[in-house]
Amino acid sequence: MFDPGYHVPVLLNEVILNLFELVADHEECLLVDLTFGGGGHSFAALDKFKNLRVIGFDQDKDAIEHGKKFSESLDLHTRISLVHQNFNQFAHTLSVHPWWNPSKTILILADLGVSSHQFDTAERGFSFRHDGPLDMRMDASLELTAADIVNQFSEEKLAEILFKYGEDPFARRLSKRIVEHRKDVGAIQKTSELEAVIFHAYPKKLRHGRTHPATKTFQALRIAVNAELDALMSLLENFKQLQADKCRLGIITFHSLEDRIVKHFFRDLNKHDKKYRIITKSPIIPTETEIKSNSRSRSAKLRLLELSKLEAYVQKHKEKETF
Ligand SMILES: C[S@@+](CC[C@H](N)C(=O)[O-])C[C@H]1O[C@@H](n2cnc3c(N)ncnc32)[C@H](O)[C@@H]1O
């Protein structure tokens, strides 16, 4: 039910089991897929829950166009509404959408990061494994590219980005080398050029470890170009504003910066407001079998939170009776 050439969904069974746990058979419900990508999670859910509709967001035009064509080929297009938008204002978009009904069960999913299609398309510049322009914009209408950061930012600012978003202990050394390269050789325009600069700036004995020395740098630049952590914070704030009776939110993260934000946000909500319940005390991670068949799933973590006004009401009245 998905196009493996576009993206293989991670933790698919776990999402279907745990996110949809509160949906009764044949119940009319809505999935808000905030990171539609190749639509792998959405299509599987539509196949299983016949009274489900999906509103899918993606800031990448390619994903929206692919989703439209693919849903038509499966004859599912009447149950999917695709929105080409950043998810950072999703609560407002939902509130004016004709399918929005706060009294129905709502499932919200965010599967963060980039799709395999984005990662493997050399011209998008996300990966040092494919040579292409240093771009990394998920939304092609954004102005700032990775090349702008690498070639125009000061050494200090570069080091800050590599340290903050890549957690690279050699951030200072790498940014110094990048700036020297700019002066001595010229601007760094291609993914292969940046990969080579980082590789040679790394201490010799660490150049051939399990992860390539450029991995953290590429992650940091991607996060900066797409303001990914700001978008995640906005997503969580949007969830807080959502006026819904019964709703479950699932977030799949791929690195500790994202996971930390989600974990603390869920804890704070749960601590201060009884209507929020944490479903996953510790995150759900992929099985060995999934990691073997799809190595990109290896760092995935799924956390779930439920919003239930009714449960909060019952809990409050129980407490009153006890006193
Ligand atoms: C990991 S992929 C999702 C894959 C999808 N679940 C599937 O099974 O095919 C992440 C997708 O989310 C999109 N995305 C990432 N951040 C976004 C944001 N802030 N707003 C909207 N879309 C975003 C990316 O463009 C990408 O297509």
Side-chain angles (χ1 to χ4, degrees):
M1 274 306 257
F2 59 87
D3 175 0
Y6 198 95
H7 184 83
V8 176
V10 303
L11 293 168
L12 181 58
N13 294 335
E14 291 80 355
V15 166
I16 297 292
L17 261 177
N18 296 281
L19 186 63
F20 286 81
E21 194 181 30
L22 78 169
V23 176
D25 273 354
H26 308 299
E27 183 184 344
E28 275 187 28
C29 52
L30 176 72
L31 168 64
V32 180
D33 187 342
L34 293 175
T35 50
F36 191 78
H41 295 101
S42 287
F43 291 122
L46 283 164
D47 187 42
K48 190 164 167 61
F49 301 96
K50 301 299 177 201
N51 289 322
L52 172 76
R53 289 205 275 196
V54 173
I55 301 178
F57 288 73
D58 206 297
Q59 61 177 332
D60 187 341
K61 227 177 172 178
D62 276 7
I64 299 296
E65 277 164 15
H66 177 268
K68 283 186 178 155
K69 281 193 200 124
F70 198 64
S71 57
E72 271 169 31
S73 74
L74 296 174
D75 209 17
L76 286 172
H77 54 290
T78 54
R79 293 168 60 204
I80 300 188
S81 166
L82 292 174
V83 187
H84 178 216
Q85 224 177 64
N86 194 303
F87 57 55
N88 59 9
Q89 290 185 29
F90 82 87
H92 171 72
T93 305
L94 285 183
S95 69
V96 295
H97 194 286
W99 290 358
W100 178 248
N101 181 346
S103 59
K104 295 245 164 79
T105 300
I106 319 272
L107 300 319
I108 303 181
L109 176 67
D111 172 16
L112 300 172
V114 284
S115 66
S116 299
H117 172 79
Q118 289 167 325
F119 197 76
D120 294 334
T121 305
E123 305 83 66
R124 305 294 299 266
F126 284 107
S127 166
F128 53 84
R129 310 243 174 245
H130 311 282
D131 194 20
L134 261 182
D135 188 324
M136 301 200 193
R137 290 168 303 166
M138 291 190 211
D139 174 355
S141 72
L142 290 177
E143 287 202 350
L144 189 78
T145 66
D148 294 334
I149 296 181
V150 166
N151 294 305
Q152 290 166 23
F153 281 26
S154 68
E155 188 179 322
E156 291 70 31
K157 189 73 195 149
L158 260 176
E160 191 189 315
I161 288 174
L162 300 190
F163 189 70
K164 201 166 146 197
Y165 299 144
E167 299 185 293
D168 197 316
F170 301 108
R172 291 214 157 277
R173 177 182 178 135
L174 302 181
S175 59
K176 184 165 182 280
R177 192 62 209 101
I178 289 173
V179 172
E180 279 168 6
H181 186 95
R182 280 174 2 195
K183 281 190 201 130
D184 302 344
V185 185
I188 302 172
Q189 302 290 6
K190 309 275 285 205
T191 52
S192 57
E193 283 175 79
L194 181 62
E195 183 265 338
V197 172
I198 300 298
F199 183 82
H200 290 105
Y202 241 67
K204 261 196 184 133
K205 59 177 188 294
L206 298 177
R207 286 182 195 165
H208 299 281
R210 233 165 56 96
T211 48
H212 188 286
T215 307
K216 290 191 167 92
T217 297
F218 274 66
Q219 172 186 301
L221 290 171
R222 199 198 78 207
I223 293 177
V225 166
N226 298 288
E228 289 181 35
L229 301 185
D230 290 347
L232 175 57
M233 287 302 296
S234 303
L235 181 165
L236 295 164
E237 286 298 336
N238 271 247
F239 178 73
K240 231 165 100 176
Q241 290 163 24
L242 214 60
Q243 297 295 325
D245 293 345
K246 204 167 120 197
C247 175
R248 206 174 258 202
L249 167 68
I251 303 193
I252 303 175
T253 62
F254 289 87
H255 52 78
S256 55
L257 295 170
E258 291 172 341
D259 186 54
R260 222 173 291 146
I261 292 176
V262 174
K263 183 170 79 182
H264 288 125
F265 198 90
F266 281 14
R267 269 195 203 154
D268 280 356
L269 276 186
N270 171 256
K271 196 168 152 196
H272 295 113
D273 196 334
K274 293 219 157 30
K275 65 177 189 273
Y276 298 103
R277 187 165 68 92
I278 295 173
I279 307 296
T280 42
K281 297 286 175 255
S282 45
I284 298 173
I285 55 172
T287 58
E288 283 301 318
T289 318
E290 177 170 5
I291 296 172
K292 259 188 207 140
S293 71
N294 178 12
S295 63
R296 282 180 186 168
S297 68
R298 69 184 173 279
S299 46
K301 284 185 178 164
L302 168 65
R303 291 187 187 271
L304 296 140
L305 181 79
E306 189 171 307
L307 155 70
S308 171
K309 288 199 175 145
L310 187 66
E311 233 173 70
Y313 177 84
V314 172
Q315 178 75 14
K316 206 168 157 187
H317 283 261
K318 248 197 219 159
E319 277 170 14
K320 265 191 193 159
E321 280 163 19
T322 329
F323 289 109

